[in-house]
Amino acid sequence: MRGSIRRQHVLLTIVATVLVCAVALGAGWLAYLRQLGELERQVGDRLTLNLRAVESEIERFRYLPDVVGQDRRIADMLLEPQSRDAIAAANLYLEAVRDVSGADELYVLDLSGETLAASNWQEPGSFVGHNYAFRPYFTDAMARGNGRFYAVGVTTGKPGYFLTSRLDHGGRPLGVVVAKVDMSPLSVTWAAAGEMSAIADGEGVVFLSGDPRWLYRPMHNLDTDTVALLQAQRRYDGVDIAAAAPLTGGSADDREGLTVDVSGESYRLRLRGIEPDGWQLLSALPLEPVRREAMQIGGLAGLVSILAIGALLLARQRRQYVRLKLDQHATLERRVAERTEALAREVEERRRAEAELRATQENLIHAAKLAALGRMSAAIVHEVSQPLSALDNTLAAAGLHAERSATGEVQRNLSNARRLLRRMQRTVKHLRTFSSRREPGPPEVVDIGGVIEAALDIVAPQARDGGVVVEAAVPAGMPAVSGNAVRLEQVFINLLLNAIEATASAGNNGVRIAATADDSGLAVEIADQGRGIPEAVMERLFEPFFTTKQTGESLGLGLSISRTLLEEFGGALRFAPREGGGTIAIVSLPLHPMRTMAKQTESA
Ligand code: ADP
């Protein structure tokens, strides 16, 4: 049972953990996708803006080589390349136009690609005398009429956008006018704005960037042909493109968002083509805030789901607890009902047993009474037969006196006969009362003096028979006790019979019954002059059916029943040796409450 609960707990914990993880991951992933979409939109907006800026930067100078080529000074110089004046005029003109237009440099190449005149003609690092026939902008212009090319200046080392236009005269080419445009202001603006924006050339090499870490790095690995081409064109003169780390591992066709790492930080990158050069405009925004927010949302969702699961588990536990309590309550109720039923059965059984016991006890008491009567039967018979024969003699004498008409004698004989009859009546009445089987009711007020007197009357024949004199010291007006007169009479008869028998068997003749009372109760002492009670007999004195007497009349019930009867009324029975030999039986009885109450009222 406990094992299955533990298994259930483990399963619940696993399910809850999986659920929390799934919710956290799901929410985090959704938030990530949403934020990523937003980020790409922002990058897209940035691309659009930057595209406009780049295009307008180039457009400004689109027609400059053409316009410059229209000037006569340029044509004259190309027609007369030996003329110093023509060259000087062209140089001055180019310098002036450069300063006005804002172009980086302007210069003119002859058909062999050599620079004849340049706006920087008098500056150190001037283009004059340099040959640029290897540059695509020259070959393109010669072939198609114009060209455009971004490169790092071979002479100056400064990057720039080269716009070229072929100058024709009389149907044949004369030379090529070149305008070099400085695009670095764009990168300066991006750098100032902290933008990760850049421009890569047709081969994917970044040549302009707001972040210097991107500059002159290919977007992806370059093949050997491309590297060779770049070197032939000296496009990025002085830069080892082949050794530069590519920005992404993606292919050249990627137009959608790419993830790039810059110095350990991830960026979301988007590209857009710039025509006609086949350039690509790059813009990137850091992914970190997106990831952070996704993680925060995932964490929050996880937390909420933990709380929700916690609340659910709590509710479940509470439900289980309530169910358990209800079950326990029901079990308890059932047990109480079962126990009550069992108790009722027990009570009923006990009541029956008690009734049986009581009946048995009553039988025993009665048996004891009969035993006592049995013990007394000889004396009683004597008690009755003695007055009967006396009565017989008296009545015979009365007959004779009547014949002699001795009236006075007759009357004396008749009164003697009546006295004898009364004596027999009293004995018979006491015996009838004593031997009746009437069960006692509740405790009543008992006059102990009357009880002792009745007991003495009953045992009198026995005493007389044994030659024993029973002395009674029961003061008049003894306080009443609580009990039943017939029962108490039975007790005193038993004790007196034992005392008389013990005294007689010891050859003595004195038994004394004395009653005393104080506030704690009443005591009746029956002292005999027997041989005393030996230790071995004392131990078994109150055992039912224990007797040392050999006569068939003794059942050995007297003392056990006497003690039971006394205890029923709150009394007690004990034995003590009498000084000078013999035994004292001591009966103690509580006073009747009414008597105690009367006493209290008196003293109050
Ligand atoms: P029973 O008198 O029928 O034997 P009891 O219960 O009255 O039964 O007494 C039990 C025994 O206690 C007696 O047999 C007797 O040995 C002893 N006993 C009782 N009273 C006295 C007494 N006053 N003196 C000596 N022995 C006594």
Side-chain angles (χ1 to χ4, degrees):
M1 179 72 182
R2 193 172 296 167
S4 95
I5 289 176
R6 189 169 309 140
R7 255 202 315 282
Q8 212 180 356
H9 278 180
V10 170
L11 203 72
L12 262 178
T13 311
I14 292 172
V15 169
T17 311
V18 169
L19 214 67
V20 168
C21 290
V23 168
L25 283 175
W29 182 244
L30 283 177
Y32 179 74
L33 289 181
R34 206 178 63 80
Q35 291 296 316
L36 194 66
E38 176 62 18
L39 189 78
E40 291 206 342
R41 196 187 57 71
Q42 285 176 12
V43 178
D45 289 352
R46 211 167 259 191
L47 272 178
T48 309
L49 278 176
N50 288 345
L51 187 66
R52 296 272 169 283
V54 172
E55 278 173 354
S56 68
E57 192 67 17
I58 295 168
E59 281 308 303
R60 272 169 57 200
F61 301 101
R62 164 97 66 93
Y63 303 105
L64 192 60
D66 263 342
V67 173
V68 168
Q70 298 303 313
D71 194 276
R72 275 236 40 92
R73 280 166 283 192
I74 301 301
D76 286 351
M77 180 199 67
L78 285 169
L79 288 168
E80 286 180 70
Q82 312 304 325
S83 164
R84 285 181 175 276
D85 289 344
I87 287 175
N91 277 336
L92 286 173
Y93 170 66
L94 290 172
E95 188 181 357
V97 175
R98 177 196 70 182
D99 293 346
V100 172
S101 67
D104 197 28
E105 297 297 348
L106 287 165
Y107 52 103
V108 181
L109 311 175
D110 67 10
L111 292 175
S112 69
E114 188 165 319
T115 311
L116 295 182
S119 53
N120 62 355
W121 61 281
Q122 57 179 355
E123 292 164 22
S126 164
F127 299 160
V128 177
H130 287 274
N131 190 298
Y132 298 109
F134 61 92
R135 291 289 212 191
Y137 61 74
F138 173 74
T139 47
D140 284 352
M142 287 302 286
R144 299 199 306 262
N146 55 44
R148 43 207 293 163
F149 188 67
Y150 192 92
V152 175
V154 187
T155 317
T156 58
K158 265 176 69 182
Y161 191 42
F162 298 86
L163 296 158
T164 54
S165 177
R166 195 183 64 209
L167 191 61
D168 292 340
H169 185 77
R172 61 180 189 90
L174 263 186
V176 172
V177 182
V178 186
K180 183 184 177 190
V181 177
D182 183 11
M183 291 178 70
S184 62
L186 269 176
S187 65
V188 172
T189 312
W190 293 337
E195 271 188 35
M196 293 293 279
S197 291
I199 302 174
D201 63 18
E203 277 62 48
V205 179
V206 172
F207 61 81
L208 196 75
S209 168
D211 188 323
R213 288 174 296 181
W214 283 13
L215 205 54
Y216 303 125
R217 281 174 62 186
M219 282 171 48
H220 44 82
N221 282 320
L222 298 176
D223 55 37
T224 46
D225 289 352
T226 311
V227 174
L229 174 77
L230 292 174
Q231 279 169 351
Q233 292 175 347
R234 298 171 70 182
R235 201 185 291 181
Y236 306 111
D237 215 29
V239 179
D240 188 0
I241 295 292
L247 283 179
T248 76
S251 73
D253 298 330
D254 284 333
R255 284 295 180 269
E256 271 313 303
L258 289 173
T259 300
V260 292
D261 287 324
V262 182
S263 306
E265 247 189 274
S266 293
Y267 285 83
R268 194 69 181 168
L269 173 74
R270 284 191 72 179
L271 312 168
R272 195 164 296 172
I274 311 176
E275 291 306 330
D277 305 270
W279 291 353
Q280 292 185 86
L281 189 60
L282 285 72
S283 252
L285 279 173
L287 265 174
E288 186 49 29
V290 172
R291 287 181 179 160
R292 204 171 42 236
E293 191 163 332
M295 276 169 76
Q296 279 170 356
I297 289 177
L300 202 69
L303 205 70
V304 168
S305 61
I306 285 174
L307 287 177
I309 288 172
L312 280 175
L313 285 180
L314 211 68
R316 180 175 177 273
Q317 206 175 25
R318 172 117 197 92
R319 239 188 357 259
Q320 277 178 344
Y321 178 75
V322 169
R323 197 178 308 142
L324 191 77
K325 281 279 151 206
L326 285 175
D327 284 355
Q328 279 177 349
H329 194 69
T331 311
L332 201 70
E333 270 186 0
R334 200 176 57 245
R335 285 211 188 130
V336 167
E338 282 168 8
R339 189 78 197 108
T340 311
E341 208 175 297
L343 275 179
R345 263 200 313 274
E346 258 172 55
V347 166
E348 184 50 40
E349 268 164 30
R350 238 175 241 193
R351 200 174 291 142
R352 203 177 312 128
E354 250 171 49
E356 275 169 20
L357 197 69
R358 188 159 288 280
T360 311
Q361 202 178 347
E362 286 303 327
N363 287 339
L364 270 182
I365 291 170
H366 193 66
K369 269 186 196 173
L370 296 181
L373 282 174
R375 275 153 78 178
M376 293 185 290
S377 57
I380 290 165
V381 167
H382 176 73
E383 179 74 359
V384 176
S385 55
Q386 191 269 329
L388 274 178
S389 59
L391 190 63
D392 190 32
N393 291 340
T394 307
L395 288 175
L400 284 174
H401 288 133
E403 274 171 29
R404 278 193 248 131
S405 301
T407 332
E409 285 299 315
V410 170
Q411 270 177 355
R412 209 172 45 249
N413 285 339
L414 283 177
S415 102
N416 261 347
R418 288 185 68 196
R419 187 179 52 79
L420 289 166
L421 268 175
R422 272 203 299 280
R423 187 174 147 194
M424 279 189 294
Q425 271 173 341
R426 211 175 64 232
T427 303
V428 169
K429 184 184 155 212
H430 278 315
L431 286 174
R432 202 171 53 221
T433 315
F434 176 62
S435 62
S436 77
R437 233 201 128 109
R438 192 163 57 87
E439 280 184 26
E444 53 207 38
V445 184
V446 176
D447 166 28
I448 201 78
V451 167
I452 293 175
E453 203 181 320
L456 283 172
D457 268 343
I458 289 179
V459 299
Q462 189 75 357
R464 215 175 295 129
D465 212 32
V468 174
V469 177
V470 181
E471 183 199 341
V474 182
M478 287 294 287
V481 292
S482 178
N484 175 273
V486 180
R487 293 285 201 234
L488 286 176
E489 200 178 300
Q490 187 177 352
V491 170
F492 289 118
I493 287 169
N494 283 336
L495 296 177
L496 281 168
L497 280 178
N498 281 348
I500 289 163
E501 279 168 9
T503 305
S505 69
N508 290 324
N509 59 4
V511 168
R512 186 172 191 270
I513 177 161
T516 52
D518 61 15
D519 284 349
S520 63
L522 191 139
V524 179
E525 292 188 0
I526 298 154
D528 64 53
Q529 292 173 358
R531 288 196 184 84
I533 304 172
E535 194 63 24
V537 174
M538 187 65 100
E539 278 169 18
R540 307 185 56 195
L541 211 56
F542 295 105
E543 262 181 39
F545 304 108
F546 171 76
T547 179
T548 57
K549 291 165 194 165
Q550 303 303 316
T551 60
E553 296 143 1
S554 292
L555 282 184
L557 279 172
L559 292 185
S560 78
I561 286 199
S562 295
R563 190 162 76 163
T564 308
L565 294 177
L566 283 171
E567 282 174 356
E568 236 174 65
F569 307 132
L573 171 62
R574 65 190 174 87
F575 285 84
R578 178 175 166 272
E579 231 176 87
T583 307
I584 308 176
I586 305 159
V587 171
S588 45
L589 279 165
L591 300 183
H592 192 277
M594 259 168 58
R595 152 74 197 153
T596 324
M597 273 156 60
K599 256 274 168 86
Q600 276 171 357
T601 326
E602 263 170 46
S603 60

